[in-house]
Amino acid sequence: MKKLFIKTYGCQMNVYDSARMADLLAPLGYGPTDAPDEADMVILNTCHIREKAAEKIYSELGRMKKLKDAKQRAGGAMTIAVAGCVAQAEGAEILARQNAVDLVVGPQSYHRLPEMIAKLARGAGHALETDFPAEAKFDALPENDAGAAPAAFLTVQEGCDKFCSFCVVPYTRGSEFSRPVMQVAAEAEGLVAKGAREVTLLGQNVNAYRGPGPDGEIWSLAQLIGALAQIEGLQRLRYMTSHPRDMGDDLIAAHRDVEALMPYLHLPVQSGSDPILHAMNRQHTAEDYLRLVERFRAARPDIALSSDFIVGFPGETDKDFEATLSLVRAVGYAQAFSFKYSARPGTPAAAAHKQVPDDVKNARLQALQALLSAQQDAFNTGCAGRILPILFEKPGRKDGQAVGRTPYLQPVHVDGAASLIGRIVDVRIEAVLSNSLKGVLTRPLEKVLAH
Ligand code: 5AD
Ligand code: SF4
């Protein structure tokens, strides 16, 4: 058995792709390892979204080169592959910058890995694949073998046509593509048969999903969710990431009507200032966003909201930043991600004149994160004392402990629940820790197991 080490950076779509690469290589005799020094094949599945994320790859490749050299000195061999968005964006430059790299494969081409490995074995030099449509990839991938993970990911849509002026995604992931409804349904059924109780539908613009349906019509994400909710044993559905521009009335209504659809919405807004939103080419205003949030809350009053924010976008003034803080206060988030603007080569905003100095970005990020983290604490504290259904996903750090998630996606640790992994069980939330909750079963374990 050969050993495969995959290190994943960036978003959940990369997590999904890494799992699929492992599925693809299993028939070639590769089994997973957590120890890169033991690996016959190392894949770095990379992220290009911010400069820091991309630069990390080269230092990691430097470390991998040392392991590869040591293995070669001991008479062994190691193949190093760079996959994901840095591979797509930088292509041959990676081979030039780090000669220990054998393979470079973009996110739309990784179904060609077996061929590329065969080419290497023939001694045909480095292999580089960076342009094939997502469509061909999904047709060529083997069945999703996510093991028995209770909470699984399923990519339903890829790519982005929105061209926010700061973002590399339209360039690295290509234009929007939706997988056919029946292909998605078959993958979801397979995941449930292997033990999944929750499926998160993934897409860079997942709510722009427009997939060919079995009736010859184009289906929306809400229609897809309605169909998947019928799968016996599939108890929870989630989706991410959405764009405010693509939000359909039917998706909002699904939060009221579809029981399996969890009360959680990741809806990036990026900024609360209209001039900045305009310069970002977001094509919505702060008011549009707030109105959308109101409509979601009307459909599902307890919905937990999450977002992404960028501070220090070129031209952002103190007043613009204040507008972001007011939007955050107006929404009240359960959770959020915030980043300093990072100029990405080739994107329109990178060429803008009024770049914001780093110390200003730092101060704004700190202020925003303080506000968001206070909101997260308030949301978590509001759950203390409540009884919530928890899907147990994996063992916790302590013996006998299990970690699961609430409908609002908060992680919960419960002692003595390890035998409940894969099940949804009522838990009383007893304490709020910094990034998670602590709970207890509401009934004795034997009683829960008897059901
Ligand atoms: N700089 C900083 N953050 C960025 N994001 C995307 N591009 C950039 C950039 N150039 C953030 C956005 C997006 C998230 C995935 O990453 O907030 O929603
Ligand atoms: Fe990037 Fe904007 Fe597309 Fe999101 S919607 S991937 S931020 S261009």
Side-chain angles (χ1 to χ4, degrees):
M1 184 83 146
K2 287 176 277 186
K3 293 200 169 132
L4 171 65
F5 173 79
I6 306 186
K7 184 159 181 178
T8 308
Y9 299 81
C11 65
Q12 304 296 355
M13 310 225 10
N14 269 9
V15 175
Y16 175 87
D17 288 343
S18 290
R20 304 313 308 275
M21 286 191 263
D23 291 345
L24 195 63
L25 297 181
L28 305 187
Y30 287 95
T33 175
D34 296 332
D37 53 327
E38 286 183 352
D40 300 286
M41 169 117 181
V42 166
I43 301 179
L44 302 186
N45 194 9
T46 62
C47 174
H48 200 239
I49 198 105
R50 283 168 290 275
E51 190 181 359
K52 247 205 209 144
E55 275 308 310
K56 263 196 234 159
I57 304 308
Y58 286 102
S59 38
E60 188 64 19
L61 281 174
R63 281 191 286 277
M64 293 300 161
K65 177 186 165 49
K66 288 202 183 105
L67 299 181
K68 179 174 177 163
D69 289 348
K71 255 196 129 181
Q72 277 172 344
R73 279 196 301 273
M78 179 192 276
T79 303
I80 299 182
V82 178
C85 292
V86 176
Q88 189 67 36
E90 301 194 355
E93 214 178 299
I94 300 173
L95 297 170
R97 203 165 145 183
Q98 177 50 270
N99 64 10
V101 175
D102 303 287
L103 297 174
V104 174
V105 63
Q108 270 75 256
S109 340
Y110 65 77
H111 59 294
R112 319 254 324 201
L113 267 172
E115 270 170 62
M116 295 170 75
I117 292 170
K119 184 178 161 200
L120 267 186
R122 288 197 303 272
H126 299 303
L128 173 78
E129 293 277 5
T130 48
D131 44 30
F132 286 87
E135 203 173 350
K137 173 179 79 183
F138 286 112
D139 290 341
L141 286 175
E143 200 181 320
N144 188 338
D145 187 22
F153 292 121
L154 200 178
T155 294
V156 302
Q157 182 277 336
E158 286 205 86
C160 181
D161 300 331
K162 305 296 181 296
F163 291 93
C164 295
S165 61
F166 51 82
C167 188
V168 288
V169 167
Y171 312 95
T172 57
R173 291 271 174 168
S175 57
E176 289 178 8
F177 162 78
S178 298
R179 297 177 66 189
V181 171
M182 295 314 281
Q183 199 186 65
V184 172
E187 190 167 327
E189 278 167 359
L191 289 168
V192 172
K194 290 189 188 103
R197 293 291 160 262
E198 172 179 307
V199 172
T200 301
L201 308 178
L202 299 177
Q204 260 98 28
N205 276 276
V206 73
N207 63 333
Y209 179 85
R210 298 276 176 278
D215 53 3
E217 302 288 319
I218 295 297
W219 287 31
S220 67
L221 182 66
Q223 286 173 287
L224 178 69
I225 286 171
L228 298 178
Q230 308 297 317
I231 297 174
E232 182 76 34
L234 180 49
Q235 290 167 286
R236 290 181 165 191
L237 280 162
R238 305 179 185 276
Y239 59 93
M240 62 190 238
T241 293
S242 296
H243 194 298
R245 261 167 76 183
D246 292 317
M247 204 48 93
D249 296 343
D250 59 350
L251 190 56
I252 299 176
H255 277 277
R256 182 190 60 218
D257 302 332
V258 180
E259 205 191 329
L261 187 57
M262 290 293 100
Y264 180 92
L265 174 68
H266 182 61
L267 189 63
V269 65
Q270 315 296 357
S271 166
S273 152
D274 287 340
I276 295 296
L277 287 169
H278 182 76
M280 286 177 164
N281 190 30
R282 292 287 295 176
Q283 306 205 13
H284 63 79
T285 63
E287 187 55 36
D288 294 336
Y289 183 88
L290 291 172
R291 269 204 304 268
L292 261 181
V293 165
E294 258 171 41
R295 291 174 60 210
F296 271 97
R297 286 203 163 126
R300 181 75 206 229
D302 65 334
I303 197 161
L305 290 157
S306 162
S307 187
D308 293 343
F309 296 90
I310 295 177
V311 299
F313 183 82
E316 187 187 67
T317 62
D318 285 340
K319 189 167 156 242
D320 293 318
F321 177 63
E322 276 305 320
T324 298
L325 295 177
S326 343
L327 179 137
V328 171
R329 285 188 205 102
V331 173
Y333 286 99
Q335 198 266 336
F337 303 96
S338 43
F339 312 100
K340 287 195 284 183
Y341 169 73
S342 164
R344 307 307 292 123
T347 59
H353 295 302
K354 290 177 283 178
Q355 298 291 335
V356 174
D358 204 45
D359 56 335
V360 177
K361 284 185 193 168
N362 284 332
R364 289 180 187 165
L365 187 67
Q366 224 176 23
L368 177 61
Q369 289 186 339
L371 176 59
L372 289 168
S373 111
Q375 292 192 340
Q376 180 170 354
D377 288 348
F379 183 82
N380 287 342
T381 306
C383 293
R386 286 182 66 187
I387 293 174
L388 295 172
I390 305 304
L391 170 58
F392 286 111
E393 292 178 24
K394 56 181 185 201
R397 241 174 269 148
K398 279 200 272 166
D399 227 21
Q401 197 180 55
V403 190
R405 288 192 187 262
T406 68
Y408 313 110
L409 209 58
Q410 301 137 295
V412 184
H413 300 260
V414 178
D415 289 334
S419 53
L420 297 176
I421 289 168
R423 295 177 55 167
I424 297 179
V425 178
D426 275 349
V427 164
R428 185 188 315 279
I429 306 303
E430 291 217 307
V432 177
L433 313 174
S434 57
N435 276 313
S436 64
L437 307 174
K438 183 128 188 49
V440 289
L441 299 175
T442 57
R443 296 183 305 154
L445 183 63
E446 312 76 66
K447 289 232 168 105
V448 181
L449 285 170
H451 271 263

